[in-house]
Every structure is written in structure tokens, then in C-alpha cells.
Amino acid sequence: MLSLIVFLPLAAAAVLAAVPASAGKRVFTGSWVVVSAVDLALVVAAWIGYAPGMGLAYEQRLPWIPSAGVSYHVGVDGLSLPLVAVTAVLFLACAVHSLRQTHRVKSFALLFLFLQTVSLGLFTALDLILFFVYFDLSIVGMYFVIARWGHGNARRSALTFFLYTFLGSLALLLGFIGLSLAAEPHTFDIVELARADPLAGSGARGALVLLAIGVGLAVKTPTVPFHTWLPPAHTDAPAAGSAILAGVLLKMGTYGFVRIAMPLLPAVWRQYAAVVVVLGVVSVLYGALVALAQEDFKRMVAYTSVNHMGYIVLAVGAAGLAAGSDEQARSLAVTGAVTQMISHGLLTGALFLLAGVLHDRAASYDMGSYSGLATTAPAFAGVTGLVVFASLGLPGFSGFIAEFQIFTGSLVSATIATALALLGILITAGLLLRALHRVFLGALRVPGSPGAAHDFTDLKPSETVSIMPLLALAIVIGVLPRFLLDVIEPSAATLIGVVSS
């Protein structure tokens, strides 16, 4: 079942690769939408068949490189199944959003189908080398998306993205090898390593392995000070690329913390959890303050991603602090962190698709060049307003459920850090509301044609159909979160049990 979900997009890409580009763009965009929709239907079926609290499900294990302890081992639990689902949703949204794509359509569709397999594969991988392979392939795929379909300094931004994240992946590989060598017999199997805890009481060796894995994941997350590749990559990427980068690829880092760093190095994680908490708070405040200074709408959203990822890092760090906290609070922090991954994926993915509307109409993200768009594009203004309010963490939206759990779970064990992180919410609220006011209210102004109402058209059907489901899901999670929390909570409790032992 999982292998079908993971490799269906790649198989479709292989078939489409044999179709000549002269067949017309509808063949490729239409096939892309159908394949993504079928893949999402399979994920929904897998979700329905998953009983909360059953642990790993749909496991499959085949020998791959037995002499090195590497296997094709896949499965999902409450930590990974929601991320598999949000990945399928976002790729379908991007497929629909790209129906109007006209530039190198065949290559664009094939590359996104490839990225979909890579992303789904990473969230189902239960072997460190399998995880690493998908991790690296995601870098390659996104490099070409930015370099070939981006704008501005796209090639430079793509190169910066590639070098930064590739360097991080090398650090990650060193950490994985260190973990495997510490186990007896040597293995890269995540389940076996979690049972063995091979670096317990290893002192400096365990710290070095956690440092390598932590740096690799922090670059991908991104966490300050490893975030500098993110703003240019987002600013110069096409809208669909930015949505996948923010909604899916950034989660590969945060997911790695709960899937690998915490359960495979529990004692070392507890020892250095305070450092993780500090990095999380710095990311929260730095991301919010720098976003406040931005004039570029897309760059501003990119820095708010640094801010929101900081909440997740704070939560997983607080979950490792044993002093002054109980297991229920720490489990709540982890549940909030995973919920935040889902919420951020939906809402920031939608924000980047909406940013693409700005660039599509007037080739600019400069907020100072726009004003009064609500008069000529009321649907665009309304949807953007709702997504912005959802991103603020207001009740009724998924962001509230995530942040409430993060702050409640982190407050006891990391009181000062959590209090400081709350300032990030105030700053983010101010900067997003200011952006709404500047772009959508006041007298109409559009770059290049001041006052020309016809120069900025409202949302097109493909844009509406791709963005509205993301907002609707954020509202469903905000109002009726049990269907999601029932899946996450048992796995979060199991993870905290491992970290506490």
C-alpha cells in the first residue's frame, strides 16, 4: 500500500516521459492532476485503515544492501501519516494551480511528480539510508524547480539553496554512519536503533553524532543561524515551488527531529535539550523581527516560516527537558509540534500560492507598489485575509490548535523561553496585518499601471480551486481537530516514553 502511494507519481512520470512534448500541455497538466488526485485518494484510504494507537502500520521490509545493514523498510505511524497526507494534499493543490503553466510544461509536471515520490518516500522511510536518499533527491529536484522556472536571481538562489542544504545532508550522513557504527550488529534500521539506543552513556561520541544530525536537520528546517538560504530561494522560486518548499520540504527537517534525533538519541537529546530550546526561541524572535522589516511580500512570508519553524524547535526541545515537567506536558508539546507542521504546511503553502497571484498579475512582490486591491480583486483580498488570520493562530483555525498545545506543553519546563516566544506571535500579527492593510486597502495602485482596475484581475478558477481546500482543511482542523489529534497523540506519548527512559 505505502509503496504504491510513494511510487505512483514516479511511475506516472516515467510513462509521461515517453510522450512527446508536442502532445500538448493539457496531456501533461491533466495527467498530473489525475495522478495526484488518485494518490491522495490512496492516502485517505490508508488513513481510514489506520487505527489510532496501533503504532507502525503498513510496514514493508525488503533487503537492499544487507552487508551494510540497509533495507527498504517503510511504514507509518501517528507522526508520519499526517505528513504523508498533507504532502499529497499540497502536491494536488500545486498540480491544479499549475494548470495555466505554459513554460516547459512537460518537464515541470515530471519534476513535480518526481518530487512527490521523494517527499512521500521520506515520510514513510524507516531506514536511515533510505531517509537520506530521499532527503538528497529532494534537494536535487527543488534545485531544478528554482533554477529553471524561477525568476529574479533564480540560478544564484538555486545554487545557494543546493550548496547549503547539500552540506547539511552530508552532516546528516555522518551522523547516520556514527549511529550505525555504534550499534551491534551495525544497522541503519530506525526501529532497531530505537530499541538498541546504541549511544547511551557514550559521552562525547553521542554528542558529536547528535551535533551532526542536528546541524543537518537544522539547515533543512531552517533554524537560525542556518536559515540564510531560505529567503532568496522562496523569493525567486515559482509559486508552486515555494508552496512545496515551505509546506513539505521544510518539514523534512522538523520531522527528522521527532523521527530520528529524539528516539534514536534519547539520553543525548535530554542532555542538550536546553540548547535546542534556545535555538527555537532565537528563530521565533529573529524570524518575526526580520519579517517585520521586509518590503517584499514573498520574502516576508519566508521569514515568517523561520518564525513558525522556531515554535516547532522550541516544542521538541522543551519535550526533552525533564526538570519541572511531566510526561503529559511534554507529550502535548510534541503533539503541538506535529500539528504545527501540518498547519504551517497548509497555510504557508496557501500564502505562497497567493503570492504567486501578485507576481502573475504585475510581476512584483513589492508591497509598496500595491494598494487597494480589494476594490478590483475582492475574492483575492478575502481569501488572503482569511489565510493571514489563520496564520496568526486565531481560534477556529489549525494554527490555534497547534500553538496552544506547543505553549501549554512547553511552558512548565521552559517557562522563560516560552514567554519570550509569545512575543513572536504579537510581532507576526502586527506585520501580517500591516501587509494586508498596505496591499488591499486604500486607493487602487498596481505596479506599472497606477489606478488601472483592469490590470489586476481577481482569482481565476484554477487558483481558487487550488487554494480554497487548503484553507478549508485549516478550518476543519481548527474546529474539529480530534480526527488529527487522535492519530498524533498516541505516537507522541510513545516518543516521550522513549525520550524519558
Side-chain angles (χ1 to χ4, degrees), residues 50 52-55 77-80 82 258-259 262-263 315-316 319-320 326-339 341 405 484-500:
Y50 181 83
M54 70 187 295
D77 61 4
L79 301 178
S80 53
V258 297
R259 173 58 66 206
M262 294 177 72
V316 296
D326 55 35
E327 288 200 6
Q328 185 179 358
R330 288 189 283 159
S331 176
L332 189 62
V334 172
T335 302
V338 178
T339 307
M341 294 182 210
Q405 292 178 105
L484 177 63
L485 299 182
D486 283 345
V487 171
I488 299 174
E489 283 172 351
S491 295
T494 302
L495 174 61
I496 290 303
V498 172
V499 173
S500 303

Side-chain angles (χ1 to χ4, degrees), residues 64-116:
W64 184 16
I65 316 174
S67 57
V70 180
S71 63
Y72 174 79
H73 189 185
V74 297
V76 289
D77 61 4
L79 301 178
S80 53
L81 184 57
L83 287 162
V84 169
V86 80
T87 297
V89 168
L90 278 169
F91 271 95
L92 176 57
C94 289
V96 174
H97 189 85
S98 303
L99 284 172
R100 295 171 58 247
Q101 176 78 24
T102 56
H103 181 54
R104 295 173 177 165
V105 176
K106 177 182 176 181
S107 304
F108 195 70
L110 296 185
L111 195 51
F112 270 79
L113 288 168
F114 166 78
L115 267 174
Q116 185 168 353

Side-chain angles (χ1 to χ4, degrees), residues 111-307:
L111 195 51
F112 270 79
L113 288 168
F114 166 78
L115 267 174
Q116 185 168 353
T117 284
V118 167
S119 303
L120 292 168
L122 183 137
F123 293 128
T124 59
L126 293 176
D127 184 280
L128 292 177
I129 296 302
L130 194 59
F131 182 97
F132 173 77
V133 168
Y134 288 130
F135 193 92
D136 254 15
L137 290 178
S138 72
I139 298 170
V140 175
M142 186 51 66
Y143 167 80
F144 284 110
V145 168
I146 299 172
R148 298 193 66 184
W149 287 273
H151 39 258
N153 294 317
R155 291 187 178 180
R156 182 176 178 180
S157 298
L159 185 61
T160 303
F161 160 78
F162 184 89
L163 292 177
Y164 250 91
T165 50
F166 187 66
L167 190 62
S169 76
L170 292 180
L172 197 64
L173 181 60
L174 284 176
F176 288 172
I177 292 173
L179 261 172
S180 174
L181 291 178
E184 192 60 48
H186 302 325
T187 180
F188 287 94
D189 191 275
I190 292 175
V191 177
E192 291 182 12
L193 287 169
R195 290 191 189 123
D197 190 9
L199 287 169
S202 60
R205 195 152 56 106
L208 287 173
V209 169
L210 179 60
L211 178 64
I213 292 174
V215 167
L217 298 175
V219 170
K220 193 81 167 184
T221 294
T223 302
V224 175
F226 306 108
H227 66 288
T228 51
W229 61 267
L230 182 72
H234 269 311
T235 304
D236 295 334
S242 290
I244 294 302
L245 182 58
V248 178
L249 266 60
L250 301 192
K251 309 306 174 298
M252 294 178 179
T254 51
Y255 173 70
F257 283 116
V258 297
R259 173 58 66 206
I260 297 170
M262 294 177 72
L264 304 194
L265 294 155
V268 189
W269 184 266
R270 287 197 303 272
Q271 190 176 354
Y272 294 97
V275 177
V276 179
V277 167
V278 171
L279 288 175
V281 173
V282 170
S283 296
V284 166
L285 296 177
Y286 179 85
L289 289 171
V290 178
L292 184 63
Q294 300 305 311
E295 287 295 315
D296 185 298
F297 184 83
K298 214 175 178 190
R299 203 174 181 87
M300 179 196 72
V301 177
Y303 274 110
T304 62
S305 290
V306 176
N307 162 267

